[in-house]
Amino acid sequence: MHIQPLPRRRFLKFLSLAPASMSILSVNLRADDLNSLGINCQIFNSSQLDVFIRYGQILFPSDETFPRKIDREAIQRIDEEIFFVKPKIQKDIKLALDLFEYLPITYGYFSRFSKLEVNQRLEFLTELEKTKSSTVSLMNQGIRALLLSCYYGHEDSWQAIDYSGPFAGIPEKLSAQRQTYKILTENK
Amino acid sequence: MKNIFEYTDLLNDQVINAQVCIIGSGCGGATTAALLAKQAIDVIILEQGGYYPSKTFDNRELNMAGKISAQRNFESTEDGAINLLHGNNVGGASVHYWADSYRTPQDRLELWASEYGIKDHDINDLTPAWDELDKTLHVHEASEDFYNPMNKLVRSASKKLKWHGKPVPQARKFCQKSGHCMQGCVFDAKQSQLITHIPNMLSNGGRLYADVKAKKLIVKEGTVVGLEAAVIDRRINQESGVKLTINADVFVVAAGGFSSSAFLLNNGFKSKLPALGEGVAMNPSPMVHALYSHDITQWRNIPAAYGIDEFRLARYDKDTYREGGFMLMPNQLHPAMIASSLPGIGREHQELMKNVNKIGGTIGWIDDPFDELGTISVDKNGKRIVSYPMKFKTQAMLKDLIRKQIELNFSAGAERVYLGSSKPFIFESMKDINKLDDFDIYPGQLIMGAPHPSGGCRMGENKKTSVVDSTHRVHGFDNLFVSDSSVFPTGVSVDPSYTIMAFSYVASRNIQDQLKNTRSPLY
C-alpha cells in the first residue's frame, strides 16, 4: 500500500479533532488480550498501553535468544519511568500516544494503529521513517526511544547482545522510587 | 554532629540559620561551599535532588538515570528537538559527567572581557584556582592503558586527517576502567563534587540539606533576608508538605544553567533584570554510530581520553560561516542508549544490536553561535520553558559537525556510519557524504542532548544586558550571588566544569568580602 499522507494543514486539523473522536471510539474497541500481559499501569490508560504493545511487537527482537518476558517488563518499566517525571512530560507523552493511535488514518489506512495487522504496522512504521513532519517525527522518535531503552535496559536482553552488564557484577540496588512503584503496582 | 539531612530527617517545618545559604550542589555550589567552609564560614547547601552516595550506585542505565539525572533525561527544549541533560542529585551533573577538565581557553576569557565587560576573570585570575583544583581533583592526562579501542581510533584517525587533538585532562584517581562515568562511579575514582568538595565542606562544619527545593526569596530593600523552601518526598518525587525557612547573611544561587535563571524568574526578577533568562547556550550534541569489523566495546574504560579541538573555533569567510565551531570526542554509551539512537525496525535493528560490541562512534558539541542563543522563561504556573530555535548558523554548525564525524569514523576504518536518529540515515562510505547536502535539521530528525547549559544570568556591568556583575552579585542586591554556569555570557567552547569551578573561586572571595561588611544578626 502506498498512499500519500495528508497535507500538513489537513493533518493538523485532524489532530485537533482526534481527542474528541477518541473518547467515543475508545469505549468498545479495546484489545482483548492486554490483561493477559499483566501490566499494571499507573500512568497510561489501556489505549495508550496498547500503542506501546503493538509497536513493541514490531520493534522488539523476534530472535528466540531474547527471552519473551522482556517485552512485557520493558513496557511495565516505561510506565514506571514516566510515573516519576514531571506532569508536563507525562502529558506530552500521553498526548503523543493518543495521536499516534490515530495517525495511520492520515496515511490512508482505515484503521487505528493498534488495530493494524502486523504487516501493515511494519509498513506504516517504515513509512514514518521518511516523514518530514517534525510533529510526526517527534512522536515516533519518543515512543520508539522509550521502548528500546527500556528493552535494552533490561538485564535479560544483555546475554543475547553479548553485553557483560555492570562492571564487576555490581548487584542491583533499588531506589526509594523503584520500591514505591513496586508496592503500588503489586497492590493494584 | 549530624550534617547531612534528607527527606527522612525533615519531617516538620523548621527554621534554619546560617551565614551563607547555597542553592544547588553541582560544580558551582559545591566548590563555593567548600571554599567558604574552609574559611570557617557557616555554610549550608540546599539540593533539590537526592543524596546518593556511591554505595547506592548499581551502574544500570535506567536505575541510575532515575537517581542522578533530572527528569530521567526525558525533558527537552520547548520544540522537543534537544534533550536537556543535567543533574538532580547531590553533586549535580558532576556525578554523571565524563570528568573532562579543560581550563577555559584564553581566547574565550578575552572575548568575555572585551565583548561583555567581565572583569577579574582573566587567565591570571583563574590559573591559581586551576592549579589548586588540579590537586584537589587529581587532574591528569590519561596514560595509554586508559585508551579504549574507540579512543585509539579517534586519535589515529585525527592524526591521519591532520586534525589537531590532544589528551583530555581527566579528574580521576585510581580509575578502575569500569566505563560507568555516566552512571556514577561506584569506585569513587571519578572526582565528582560528591566525593571532593561536598565532603570537604562537610568536614569543615558545613551542612547539606538534600531533597529540599528553594522556592521564594524574601527581599527587603535590596537585601535578601530569607528563603522559603519545600521538602521533596523522594519516594514519590513530590513535595511532602514540610516547609523550611532559611535565614542567612548571604544567598548564592547555584542551581545550574537550566535552573538558576528559572528560579530567579519565578521570584519575579525579570522586570528589573531584562537579561534574565536570555543568552542560553547548551552545546547541542549530535552523535554518530559506526560499525567496525572488530570489537570496540565502547562501554569500558574511560569515555574520552583524547579530544579533537581542531575545529573548536568556528571559521568564517568574511561574515559567512565556513566550518567548525565544535569539539569532537569518542563516544561512550551503554546498550539502552545505543539501541534508542540506532535506526531500524524489528530484525534490522535486532541484527545491529547483536553486533553492538562492534559499534563505536563519536560525539561532538557545537559552540552555540553567540547571536543565536536560546532563552529560559517560566509559564504562569512557574514551569520552566527552554526555547532554543535552531537558526541558520546553528544548523550549519551541526551539519558540519556531523560531516566531520562521518569523515573521522570512515578514516578510522568504519564499515558503515549511522546518524544518531530513529530514521535510517546510513552512510556506506565517504561517497555517500553528499546525502548531507539536502539534510535538514528539525525537531525529531536527530537524537541530540544538551549536556552543558550556560547563560540566563549573564555576567556584565550593564544592568540591561546582564544579571550579575563581575563580583557574581545580582544587580541591585547586596547579598545575592550567582555561582554556576548561568553567569557565562556564551558557551565556554570546551567542557565547562573547570570554568565553573574556577569562577566559583572568584565568587567565594567576593562572598567573603560581603560577609566582612555584614553585621550578622545570627553570630
Side-chain angles (χ1 to χ4, degrees):
Chain A
M1 180 186 292
H2 182 74
I3 299 169
Q4 286 296 314
L6 290 179
R8 182 177 170 81
R9 276 180 63 191
R10 282 182 63 199
F11 171 64
L12 291 173
K13 189 178 175 188
F14 168 80
L15 293 187
S16 70
L17 296 172
S21 56
M22 276 185 301
S23 63
I24 301 164
L25 291 171
S26 60
V27 176
N28 297 316
L29 298 176
R30 295 279 38 90
D32 54 8
D33 62 343
L34 296 183
N35 289 339
S36 63
L37 286 174
I39 299 171
N40 293 327
C41 278
Q42 298 294 312
I43 289 294
F44 301 114
N45 63 30
S46 58
S47 173
Q48 293 155 350
L49 183 62
D50 209 4
V51 172
F52 279 128
I53 291 169
R54 303 301 170 188
Y55 200 137
Q57 285 172 347
I58 306 298
L59 183 64
F60 290 158
S62 53
D63 192 302
E64 60 188 18
T65 55
F66 292 86
R68 287 273 70 82
K69 73 165 192 169
I70 309 174
D71 298 21
R72 177 179 62 78
E73 293 180 6
I75 294 170
Q76 180 78 63
R77 185 66 188 263
I78 294 173
D79 185 69
E80 178 180 343
E81 292 295 305
I82 302 307
F83 181 72
F84 291 105
V85 299
K86 61 185 181 184
K88 169 77 169 67
I89 299 172
Q90 293 175 344
K91 194 176 154 192
D92 285 351
I93 293 170
K94 287 197 266 189
L95 179 62
L97 291 163
D98 290 342
L99 296 176
F100 198 86
E101 171 72 329
Y102 289 88
L103 191 59
I105 296 169
T106 71
Y107 278 73
Y109 296 88
F110 196 67
S111 173
R112 293 176 296 135
F113 176 73
S114 63
K115 290 296 177 187
L116 289 174
E117 295 298 323
V118 169
N119 61 336
Q120 287 180 309
R121 263 179 278 158
L122 176 60
E123 184 183 65
F124 171 64
L125 292 175
T126 306
E127 279 188 65
L128 290 193
E129 292 182 335
K130 298 173 199 143
T131 183
K132 290 190 179 296
S133 157
S134 57
T135 310
V136 174
S137 300
L138 280 170
M139 280 195 286
N140 188 41
Q141 183 189 83
I143 296 167
R144 186 180 180 281
L146 280 168
L147 285 163
L148 287 170
S149 61
C150 288
Y151 190 93
Y152 286 100
H154 194 296
E155 203 152 345
D156 288 352
S157 71
W158 297 342
Q159 190 177 356
I161 59 171
D162 200 20
Y163 170 64
S164 53
F167 185 78
I170 303 282
E172 185 166 29
K173 295 164 189 171
L174 296 188
S175 66
Q177 289 176 7
R178 292 219 67 194
Q179 291 172 37
T180 301
Y181 185 83
K182 205 171 172 199
I183 292 166
L184 284 171
T185 48
E186 280 177 357
N187 292 341
K188 192 172 178 180
Chain B
M1 195 164 71
K2 186 174 176 63
N3 54 8
I4 300 174
F5 303 89
E6 303 175 72
Y7 72 106
T8 44
D9 305 305
L10 303 168
L11 302 175
N12 299 301
D13 292 0
Q14 57 185 283
V15 176
I16 298 164
N17 296 319
Q19 279 180 290
V20 178
C21 171
I22 297 176
I23 301 164
S25 65
C27 288
T31 305
T32 307
L35 293 167
L36 295 173
K38 194 176 174 184
Q39 300 303 316
I41 291 166
D42 180 19
V43 58
I44 63 169
I45 288 180
L46 308 183
E47 168 56 53
Q48 178 179 305
Y51 176 55
Y52 291 105
S54 55
K55 67 183 179 190
T56 68
F57 295 172
D58 66 7
N59 289 163
R60 281 149 179 83
E61 286 177 87
L62 302 179
N63 285 1
M64 289 311 300
K67 290 172 185 169
I68 63 175
S69 296
Q71 302 301 330
R72 298 171 181 238
N73 299 326
F74 292 131
E75 192 176 9
S76 71
T77 48
E78 184 186 21
D79 62 2
I82 307 171
N83 278 79
L84 311 182
L85 308 179
H86 54 128
N88 185 50
N89 54 298
V90 172
S94 74
V95 179
H96 71 225
Y97 83 152
W98 280 8
D100 302 350
S101 304
Y102 284 104
R103 297 184 178 201
T104 325
Q106 187 164 352
D107 54 62
R108 191 51 47 106
L109 293 172
E110 288 171 357
L111 174 90
W112 290 351
S114 63
E115 295 295 316
Y116 300 92
I118 291 186
K119 300 172 187 166
D120 304 326
H121 291 78
D122 67 21
I123 204 83
N124 295 319
D125 297 315
L126 303 185
T127 295
W130 287 319
D131 289 345
E132 185 169 291
L133 287 164
D134 280 352
K135 293 175 190 151
T136 308
L137 275 66
H138 303 93
V139 173
H140 62 281
E141 291 180 2
S143 56
E144 187 63 22
D145 56 327
F146 288 93
Y147 280 65
N148 68 14
M150 199 60 228
N151 277 275
K152 288 178 182 172
L153 287 172
V154 166
R155 183 177 57 187
S156 61
S158 71
K159 285 181 179 166
K160 204 154 95 183
L161 292 163
K162 296 189 167 45
W163 293 352
H164 185 267
K166 58 190 177 191
V168 179
Q170 305 285 320
R172 302 176 191 280
K173 186 182 180 188
F174 304 131
C175 177
Q176 301 298 303
K177 307 177 185 174
S178 74
H180 286 294
C181 285
M182 279 181 74
Q183 289 83 43
C185 183
V186 169
F187 302 100
D188 284 345
K190 187 177 73 174
Q191 301 292 287
S192 75
Q193 302 301 303
L194 184 63
I195 62 161
T196 54
H197 287 135
I198 298 277
N200 289 355
M201 185 260 315
L202 293 170
S203 65
N204 283 314
R207 287 167 286 161
L208 170 66
Y209 290 82
D211 310 304
V212 173
K213 180 176 184 171
K215 303 274 278 193
K216 186 172 171 48
L217 292 166
I218 305 162
V219 180
K220 283 185 184 166
E221 296 169 1
T223 299
V224 180
V225 297
L227 170 69
E228 293 170 359
V231 175
I232 306 288
D233 184 339
R234 200 189 305 166
R235 294 169 300 179
I236 52 173
N237 203 22
Q238 290 175 16
E239 291 181 21
S240 70
V242 175
K243 307 290 182 196
L244 306 182
T245 304
I246 292 94
N247 296 322
D249 297 324
V250 168
F251 290 85
V252 183
V253 182
F258 287 130
S259 301
S260 285
S261 58
F263 171 72
L264 294 176
L265 285 163
N266 271 323
N267 273 274
F269 286 15
K270 180 75 172 176
S271 57
K272 289 182 179 171
L273 297 164
L276 187 59
E278 305 294 322
V280 174
M282 56 182 73
N283 291 174
S285 306
M287 60 185 157
V288 309
H289 301 290
L291 181 66
Y292 288 88
S293 59
H294 49 89
D295 281 354
I296 299 292
T297 319
Q298 61 171 291
W299 49 81
R300 291 288 179 246
N301 218 327
I302 67 177
Y306 188 86
I308 297 172
D309 58 3
E310 170 77 23
F311 305 103
R312 182 176 64 81
L313 297 175
R315 295 164 186 168
Y316 293 86
D317 292 327
K318 293 186 179 172
D319 291 333
T320 306
Y321 172 78
R322 175 157 52 95
E323 66 172 351
F326 43 76
M327 292 289 286
L328 222 170
M329 304 271 177
N331 204 0
Q332 181 167 74
L333 299 171
H334 286 253
M337 187 60 211
I338 296 172
S340 60
S341 54
L342 270 175
I345 303 167
R347 184 163 293 280
E348 190 186 0
H349 189 273
Q350 170 192 300
E351 292 309 310
L352 271 175
M353 287 307 292
K354 282 191 150 188
N355 281 300
V356 72
N357 262 303
K358 293 180 175 152
I359 292 176
T362 49
I363 191 164
W365 40 93
I366 64 163
D367 182 24
D368 315 53
F370 310 147
D371 51 351
E372 296 185 359
L373 299 176
T375 58
I376 289 175
S377 57
V378 292
D379 66 14
K380 61 183 180 187
N381 299 314
K383 304 302 178 195
R384 174 180 54 209
I385 300 166
V386 179
S387 304
Y388 194 86
M390 288 187 283
K391 296 179 188 166
F392 177 78
K393 215 179 289 176
T394 304
Q395 294 235 7
M397 271 187 193
L398 287 168
K399 275 176 77 166
D400 190 47
L401 171 53
I402 292 167
R403 185 183 298 272
K404 297 285 195 304
Q405 289 189 76
I406 294 168
E407 190 175 355
L408 184 71
N409 277 282
F410 278 125
S411 182
E415 295 183 334
R416 194 176 299 136
V417 173
Y418 306 83
L419 302 194
S421 174
S422 59
K423 298 180 180 179
F425 299 118
I426 301 169
F427 298 78
E428 302 288 348
S429 72
M430 276 306 286
K431 286 179 185 170
D432 287 345
I433 200 72
N434 58 4
K435 286 182 184 174
L436 282 180
D437 294 345
D438 301 320
F439 184 73
D440 294 321
I441 298 174
Y442 52 82
Q445 186 81 324
L446 294 171
I447 292 175
M448 280 193 289
H452 307 143
S454 64
C457 299
R458 275 176 157 170
M459 185 178 284
E461 297 306 306
N462 186 333
K463 291 179 187 176
K464 289 182 180 169
T465 57
S466 62
V467 174
V468 300
D469 64 21
S470 294
T471 69
H472 290 246
R473 198 179 262 107
V474 176
H475 292 306
F477 290 85
D478 56 11
N479 70 337
L480 179 60
F481 293 78
V482 180
S483 184
D484 62 20
S485 63
S486 67
V487 305
F488 301 159
T490 69
V492 185
S493 81
V494 292
D495 302 64
S497 60
Y498 236 33
T499 306
I500 300 168
M501 287 183 247
F503 267 50
S504 299
Y505 272 69
V506 180
S508 77
R509 282 198 295 273
N510 290 310
I511 293 165
Q512 288 172 57
D513 288 345
Q514 170 65 22
L515 287 169
K516 285 175 194 161
N517 298 328
T518 305
R519 184 181 171 84
S520 174
L522 306 171
Y523 295 88

